[in-house]
């Protein structure tokens, strides 16, 4: 490496712009920080030698320089910003409303938003945030963060460690805040030092050359916050692995007990009760709002018992269940056990558990019961042999019956919300079936010639609760990253690195100051320091084109 | 209810106090001192009135909290007025750092417009849906609002910088854009004027329109310029709509909102036109001489400093607390919901701002534009995302 020796004797690494010790601009390197035709020195990195600005030969140098450029960083951020906005023009696939004509993206976007929707769909913007190019963009930001931080942190750290109180005159008079005073007395100097200390500046005196410094640690703020961001990005990568993160969705009926999926058969859950409550419309406080907006739900709650299976080592053996938690899971109040959380997430009200029917003669006005049967909708059989000799065959079952556009009966979902059946009823000792169509509010005799009729006598309803199970070991990493990020930004934003240099010249002195932010604050400091002395207030030499 | 009456009276009082404070801040105009060491009498009265106004608004907030049983940050009216309050708080903080009375002359009127704007939304106390029943609601919303309030000060200072620095002697792209910014403010005023006018008249026109196989109704409080798609007017003796809302506008009450937007544009434009007729120059040009005695440097400093103070607060409230809450409520701390995405966009924007600021050539005017755009993004998230985009799907 071609080290550069400054006239003050300090040996600087190649690419240095301002001598690390005395700050004298090093000839031939001024273009690096854009000092060549400016009055003021660029103090952002104290004129240190940064790899990105120094080496530019190999391909690695070029990549390094590319990613360490703030300009590139800003472009990446702006691109991510624009991309993120695009994803909100139309709803993402996951937000296509339940009641949409079709939830198939190939149909939905064009159907709802016309030509723009079609383009949106074809560009793949309907799942933008998991598209390869969006992820690459975020990854590039991550790479850029790492490289730019390394590129600057190390040299800046060294330079601030090596800085001397004694500074070269050109360094001083090319600072933004600067003044020259012809004569000062020793008493005045003592007073100045005293006040500097009282303002909690760290004062170094080197043969009358003074460096007063405070808040240097705030210079590390950006690097700290960038580390926080990197941890968050790493956590996001971890989260895509099944060891660190799993989630499952469970639909569970009232009264039902089932193994919790995703727990290797270790945990069972029983839904004791699902409760949905609404606000009282007579409540004085909310009366008006409820009148205008309609009923407002006040609570979704599932009362559950969670069991731990005592022994799962023998496959096929029925495990012994030991209740571990008895809990009412509510929105904002999940159940937590052994690293898992269960959130209240959805519900279906009033699904049919069972329907009971009676059979009677079609023309019997009293509908005397000849036979009866019950269909358990959680487990419908294909055939029912009845006590008094009737036989009923379920020919077709529509759990959630409706007529489609062509008038053909179909089942909208698999949930028994509106069950309907085509039943074959075989009278005692007969092999000829009578066909009926039965549903809520519907009882159709297909041929019009049936001797017997089945009618609904009773039904049982239940609610179904949707619970979201998660095991997420990455949360602590996200938390850590966020905490470090916050510490870093606060460190960098709420404190500033202020330096004041005083250098004797003849009978007087040169006074210069620099801060990385809050010039107003440092000017106030200086005003206080020189109060009641002849020292001239610094002038702001900032060039107006900046 | 007495408490509720007291509450609204206090909000109204706060509004009037801010108005009075603005006049006193305006009176500092004759203050020829360019240094900021001492504040004149008018400035002192101005800030005192502002603080009393803030206290009054705090009383509004607390009494409404007691009356409703939950912190009043649950709907548009409550959130926007709370945002206004946090802007005032941010102003007070920045005022005590920089003692620039003049900031009040610009910041306070904008806050008043925002509070008045919020007051046009339904003001009944609404019960909280289950997702909102969490302490994180208060923690998240208050921090976000405070962060946005501080970022608002950066916009106000940026706007002052632009008004002061942009050459008004010739017509240029810059001063036209500045007029556009000012004109936007007129649109808000237009909305307030027209909404209050017709609400005083108790205007109402109801439409029925098909939604899928059902029939929905929509009650307009402004004369219908545009009707819902295939809607029929069922109120008699009111203005017939001129045209139908295009089909691609979706969501609850899309047509009614669109109608309101049209009215706001019409009224705002007329108001702006009137002002232009009276002053016979660009509004920016008219305001420019007011800022003669303020140092551009100081404005730049305030604008940047507010971003550096506001950015961490916004990050904490808008992203971190929001994520914690989402994790508690839904078991997912991030879900790419439009509201979340726009918080991310805001955050990225201010991150870009801070990075640009460390390069040369981005101080002063360019920064000022960025500060204005940043706040526009915040308002977009508050208004458009809440009322238009989020209307396409709903929580829980
Ligand atoms: C979303 C991503 C990012 C965020 C939130 C972020 C945040 C920040 C913040 C808050 C600062 C402090 C600014 C100040 O003190 O004025 C900073 C400084 C900085 N950032 Fe980033 N940053 C991000 C990405 C990047 C990227 C991709 C680069 C790559 C070029 C980068 C390079 C820098 C540099 C060079 C500094 C200045 C360090 C100094 O003061 O010496 N940042 N960043």
């Amino acid at each position: 490496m071609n080290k550069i020796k400054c006239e003050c004797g300090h040996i600087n690494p190649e690419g240095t712009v301002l001598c690390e010790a005395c700050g004298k601009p090093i000839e031939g390197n001024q273009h690096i920080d854009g000092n060549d035709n400016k009055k003021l020195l660029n103090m952002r990195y104290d004129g240190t030698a940064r790899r990105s600005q120094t080496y530019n030969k190999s391909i690695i140098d070029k990549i390094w320089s590319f990613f360490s450029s703030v300009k590139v960083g800003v472009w990446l951020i702006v691109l991510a910003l624009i991309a993120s906005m695009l994803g909100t023009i139309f709803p993402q696939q996951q937000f296509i409303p339940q009641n949409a004509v079709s939830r198939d993206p190939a149909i939905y976007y064009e159907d709802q938003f016309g030509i723009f929707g079609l383009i949106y769909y074809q560009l793949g913007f309907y799942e933008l945030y998991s598209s390869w190019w969006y992820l690459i963009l975020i990854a590039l930001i991550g790479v850029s963060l790492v490289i730019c931080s390394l590129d600057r942190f190390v040299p800046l750290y060294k330079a601030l460690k090596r800085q001397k109180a004694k500074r070269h005159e050109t360094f001083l008079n090319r600072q933004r805040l600067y003044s020259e005073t012809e004569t000062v007395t020793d008493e005045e100097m003592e007073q100045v030092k005293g006040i500097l200390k009282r303002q909690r500046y760290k004062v170094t005196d080197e043969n009358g050359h003074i460096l007063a410094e405070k808040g240097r640690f705030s210079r590390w703020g950006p690097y700290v916050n960038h580390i926080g961001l990197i941890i968050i990005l790493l956590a996001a990568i971890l989260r895509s692995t099944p060891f660190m993160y799993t989630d499952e969705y469970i639909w569970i009926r009232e009264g039902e007990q089932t193994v919790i999926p995703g727990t290797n058969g270790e945990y069972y859950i029983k839904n004791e009760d699902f409760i949905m409550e609404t606000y009282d419309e007579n409540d004085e406080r909310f009366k008006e709002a409820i009148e205008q907006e309609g009923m407002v739900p006040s609570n979704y709650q599932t009362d559950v018992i969670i069991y731990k299976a005592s022994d799962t080592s023998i496959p096929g053996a029925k495990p012994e269940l030991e209740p571990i938690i008895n809990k009412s899971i509510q929105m904002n109040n999940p159940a937590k056990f052994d690293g898992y959380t269960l959130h209240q997430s959805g519900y279906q009200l009033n699904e049919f558990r069972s329907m009971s029917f009676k059979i009677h003669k079609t023309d019997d006005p009293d509908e005397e019961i000849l036979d009866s049967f019950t269909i358990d909708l959680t487990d419908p059989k294909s055939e029912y042999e009845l006590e008094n000799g009737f036989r009923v065959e379920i020919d077709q079952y529509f759990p959630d019956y409706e007529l489609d556009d062509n008038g053909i009966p179909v089942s909208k979902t698999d949930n028994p919300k509106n069950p309907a059946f085509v039943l074959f009823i075989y009278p005692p000792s007969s092999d000829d079936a009578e066909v009926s169509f039965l549903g809520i509010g519907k009882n159709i005799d297909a041929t019009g010639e049936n001797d017997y009729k089945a009618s609904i006598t009773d039904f049982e309803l239940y609610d179904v609760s949707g619970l979201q199970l998660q095991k997420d070991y990455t949360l602590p990493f996200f938390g850590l990253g966020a905490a470090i990020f916050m510490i870093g930004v606060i460190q960098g934003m709420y404190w500033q690195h202020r330096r004041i240099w005083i250098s004797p010249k003849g009978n007087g002195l040169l006074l210069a100051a620099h801060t990385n932010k809050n010039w107003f604050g440092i000017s106030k400091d200086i005003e206080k320091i020189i109060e009641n002395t002849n020292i001239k207030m610094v002038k702001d030499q900032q060039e107006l084109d900046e | 209810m007495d408490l509720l009456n007291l509450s609204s009276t206090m909000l109204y009082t706060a509004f009037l106090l801010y108005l009075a404070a603005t006049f006193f801040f305006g009176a500092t105009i004759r203050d020829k001192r360019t240094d900021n060491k001492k504040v004149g009498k008018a400035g002192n009265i101005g800030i005192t009135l502002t603080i009393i106004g803030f206290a009054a608004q705090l009383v509004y907030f607390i009494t409404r909290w007691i009356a409703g049983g939950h912190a009043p940050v649950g709907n548009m009216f409550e959130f926007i007025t709370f945002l206004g309050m946090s802007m005032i708080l941010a102003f007070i903080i920045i005022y005590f750092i920089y003692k620039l009375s003049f900031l009040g002359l610009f910041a306070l009127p904008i806050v008043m417009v925002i509070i008045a704007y919020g007051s046009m939304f339904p003001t009944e106390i609404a019960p909280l849906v289950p997702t909102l029943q969490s302490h994180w609601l208060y923690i998240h919303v208050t921090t976000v609002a405070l962060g946005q309030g501080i970022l608002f000060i950066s916009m106000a200072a940026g706007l002052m910088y632009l008004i002061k620095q942009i050459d008004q002697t010739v017509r240029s792209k810059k001063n036209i854009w500045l007029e556009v910014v000012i004109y936007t403010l007129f649109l808000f005023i237009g909305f307030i004027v027209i909404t209050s006018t017709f609400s005083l008249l108790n205007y109402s026109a109801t439409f029925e329109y098909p939604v899928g196989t059902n029939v929905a109704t929509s009650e307009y409080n402004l004369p219908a310029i545009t009707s819902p798609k295939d809607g029929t007017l069922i109120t008699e003796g009111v203005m017939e709509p001129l045209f139908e809302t295009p089909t691609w506008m979706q969501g609850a009450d899309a047509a009614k909102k669109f109608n309101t937007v049209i009215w706001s544009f019409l009224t705002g434009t007329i108001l702006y036109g009137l002002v232009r007729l009276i002053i016979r120059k660009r509004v920016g040009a008219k305001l420019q001489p007011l800022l003669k005695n303020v140092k551009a440097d100081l404005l730049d400093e305030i604008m940047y400093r507010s971003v550096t103070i506001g950015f961490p607060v916004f990050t904490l409230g808008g992203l971190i607390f929001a994520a914690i809450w989402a994790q508690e409520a839904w078991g997912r701390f991030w879900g790419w919901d439009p509201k979340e995405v726009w918080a991310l966009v805001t955050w990225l924007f201010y991150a870009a701002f801070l990075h640009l600021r460390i390069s040369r050539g981005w101080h002063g005017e360019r920064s000022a534009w960025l500060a204005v755009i940043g706040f526009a993004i915040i308002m977009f998230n508050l208004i458009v995302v809440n009322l238009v985009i989020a209307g396409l799907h709903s929580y829980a």
Side-chain angles (χ1 to χ4, degrees), chain B residues 29-73:
Chain B
I29 201 167
R30 278 167 312 185
D31 203 341
K32 287 285 188 293
R33 284 173 296 106
T34 49
D35 66 25
N36 34 52
K37 266 181 267 172
K38 283 176 238 91
V39 183
K41 209 176 201 167
N44 277 329
I45 299 176
I47 191 69
T48 311
L49 288 175
T50 313
I51 293 173
I52 301 174
F54 178 76
Q57 203 175 349
L58 207 57
V59 174
Y60 142 79
F61 188 76
I62 295 168
T63 44
R64 191 174 168 94
W65 187 328
I66 297 171
H70 59 80
V73 286

Side-chain angles (χ1 to χ4, degrees), chain B residues 11 13 20 25 43 80 88-89 92 100 115 127 136 150 155 185 235 240 267 290 300 312 325 369:
Chain B
L11 182 61
T13 312
F25 285 128
I80 295 177
I88 296 285
L89 179 62
I92 294 172
L100 183 66
I115 293 178
W136 286 105
I150 302 170
M155 181 280 271
L185 217 59
T235 313
E240 290 288 328
T267 325
L290 290 179
D300 180 62
W325 181 17
W369 283 115

Side-chain angles (χ1 to χ4, degrees), chain A residues 44-45 69 144 148 223 225-226 229 517, chain B residues 304 347 355 358:
Chain A
R44 170 69 32 196
Y45 306 104
S69 148
S144 179
C148 82
Y223 309 105
N225 87 44
H226 287 168
L229 290 174
K517 304 195 160 57
Chain B
Y304 177 50
W347 183 73
H355 287 92
I358 62 184

